[in-house]
């Protein structure tokens, strides 16, 4: 009887693991079908820029619509400030310039040094969720230290970080409006963590997408009912209100996503109620 129960448990666990993997295997097979594109030296920069613009577009549309629809204005964190086309275009042009002139050469060197390997088997879902979560926590810590340092050291602020603080009221396209050294530094943090954890390429792609989305949401200027900080309990995640206040007040809320480092270092400020 004991053997039968044990066998049933083992069989159940095996089936669960197979189901978890099967959930992502269809997706991974679809991705691997584009192997020629993914192994191209152009893929990383195209992936990054396309994802960034795709995540920015809904907020760009919201910026134009909310000036005409009063019901949308209540979600604007700073309702007195709306970006104009003249503010958006330079941000877009700078992003294109940075991706072409700086990010592409760096990703090309990475492609040359470490060619992409696409395993046949997809990762298991729990492993993906765990590693994406760990990558986000590591990135949050690294960026917090980098950010705090670049605010506390005047030379670093003026030379590297000041560009990003041009806009006191943020909008989606200000996410990557920064000096090239800031963009490359944060890109390095985002790339090194999946490498150190030995993440599956699919896990790495999912992390990059989540990281880009959360960064855009942070700078969107909107506190929507489905915003990430409303989904994470106990105020552990700051989100757009948390980061918007950093741009407004300048000397607090240095962590990009979570709030624990700001609380521990005494740099946390409560965000605007909405």
């Amino acid at each position: 009887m004991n053997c039968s129960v044990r066998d049933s448990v083992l069989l159940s666990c095996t089936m669960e693991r197979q189901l978890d993997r099967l959930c992502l295997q269809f997706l991974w097979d679809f991705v691997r079908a584009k192997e020629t594109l993914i192994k191209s030296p152009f893929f990383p920069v195209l992936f990054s820029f396309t994802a960034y613009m795709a995540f920015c577009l809904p907020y760009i549309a919201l910026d134009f619509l909310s000036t005409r629809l009063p019901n949308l204005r209540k979600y604007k964190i700073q309702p007195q400030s709306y970006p104009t086309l003249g503010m958006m275009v330079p941000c877009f042009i700078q992003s294109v310039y940075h991706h072409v002139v700086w990010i592409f050469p760096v990703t090309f060197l990475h492609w040359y040094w470490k060619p992409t390997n696409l395993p046949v088997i997809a990762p298991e879902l729990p492993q993906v969720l765990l590693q994406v979560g760990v990558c986000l926590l590591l990135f949050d810590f690294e960026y917090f230290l980098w950010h705090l340092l670049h605010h506390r050291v005047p030379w670093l602020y003026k030379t590297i970080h000041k560009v990003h603080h041009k806009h006191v009221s943020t909008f989606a396209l200000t996410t990557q409006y920064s000096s090239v050294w800031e963009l490359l530094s944060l890109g390095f943090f985002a790339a090194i963590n999946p490498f150190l954890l030995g993440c599956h390429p699919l896990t790495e792609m999912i992390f990059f997408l989540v990281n880009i989305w959360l960064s855009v949401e942070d700078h969107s200027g909107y506190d929507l009912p489905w915003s990430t900080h409303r989904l994470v309990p106990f105020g552990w995640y700051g989100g757009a209100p948390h980061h918007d206040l950093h741009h407004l007040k300048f000397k607090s809320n240095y962590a990009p996503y979570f709030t624990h480092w700001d609380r521990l270092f005494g740099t946390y400020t409560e965000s605007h109620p909405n």
Side-chain angles (χ1 to χ4, degrees):
M1 182 68 177
N2 289 337
C3 289
S4 177
V5 171
R6 185 183 62 188
D7 291 344
S8 298
V9 170
L10 288 173
L11 179 62
S12 176
C13 291
T14 302
M15 291 179 64
E16 283 182 12
R17 292 182 64 183
Q18 290 177 342
L19 184 61
D20 287 337
R21 179 168 284 141
L22 191 62
C23 288
L24 293 177
Q25 191 63 51
F26 292 111
L27 175 61
W28 182 234
D29 288 342
F30 174 79
V31 172
R32 287 183 67 248
K34 320 293 184 195
E35 185 173 0
T36 303
L37 172 62
I38 294 171
K39 288 189 173 183
S40 161
F42 301 102
F43 177 73
V45 71
L46 289 173
F47 179 82
S48 172
F49 183 74
T50 303
Y52 176 60
M53 290 309 303
F55 292 145
C56 282
L57 281 173
Y59 289 113
I60 294 172
L62 198 56
D63 282 328
F64 287 113
L65 287 173
S66 57
T67 59
R68 297 167 176 79
L69 301 174
N71 287 339
L72 294 178
R73 292 177 196 167
K74 62 184 178 182
Y75 301 117
K76 191 80 168 67
I77 297 172
Q78 296 187 46
Q80 76 283 0
S81 301
Y82 281 90
T84 64
L85 194 61
M87 295 163 67
M88 293 181 181
V89 170
C91 294
F92 174 77
I93 292 174
Q94 190 205 60
S95 184
V96 172
Y97 173 80
H98 280 170
H99 277 83
V100 173
V101 176
W102 293 100
I103 296 177
F104 173 67
V106 171
T107 55
F108 178 84
L109 290 174
H110 180 267
W111 169 84
Y112 181 79
W113 170 62
K114 188 178 178 291
T116 304
N117 177 43
L118 303 180
V120 176
I121 304 299
E124 295 178 4
L125 184 58
Q127 181 187 30
V128 171
L129 296 175
L130 175 62
Q131 290 186 329
V132 168
V134 172
C135 283
L136 284 173
L137 288 168
L138 287 173
F139 180 85
D140 190 71
F141 174 64
E142 292 155 352
Y143 182 53
F144 171 79
L145 292 180
W146 185 98
H147 200 186
L148 184 63
L149 182 67
H150 282 70
H151 272 267
R152 296 292 170 87
V153 179
W155 182 84
L156 288 175
Y157 177 79
K158 292 177 183 178
T159 308
I160 297 175
H161 190 50
K162 186 177 180 180
V163 175
H164 186 63
H165 276 275
K166 177 181 177 180
H167 299 280
V168 176
S169 178
T170 59
F171 51 94
L173 286 171
T174 61
T175 305
Q176 293 186 4
Y177 190 77
S178 57
S179 70
V180 65
W181 301 114
E182 177 167 352
L183 194 63
L184 291 177
S185 296
L186 302 188
F188 173 77
F189 294 150
I192 196 67
N193 294 327
F195 173 75
L196 293 175
L197 291 175
C199 292
H200 189 283
L202 181 60
T203 305
E204 190 175 3
M205 289 180 190
I206 292 171
F207 165 65
F208 287 157
L209 288 173
V210 172
N211 198 38
I212 294 170
W213 163 252
L214 294 178
S215 296
V216 170
E217 185 189 53
D218 262 9
H219 293 84
S220 67
Y222 288 91
D223 183 3
L224 299 167
W226 54 83
S227 293
T228 306
H229 74 97
R230 294 184 178 276
L231 306 178
V232 179
F234 311 120
W236 288 340
Y237 189 90
H242 179 82
H243 194 69
D244 188 271
L245 191 58
H246 169 74
H247 278 261
L248 187 64
K249 299 294 186 181
F250 184 75
K251 293 184 178 181
S252 62
N253 297 358
Y254 296 107
Y257 305 141
F258 302 98
T259 60
H260 56 278
W261 291 115
D262 280 304
R263 293 179 191 273
L264 286 171
F265 278 77
T267 56
Y268 176 77
T269 299
E270 193 72 34
S271 55
H272 322 277
N274 197 6

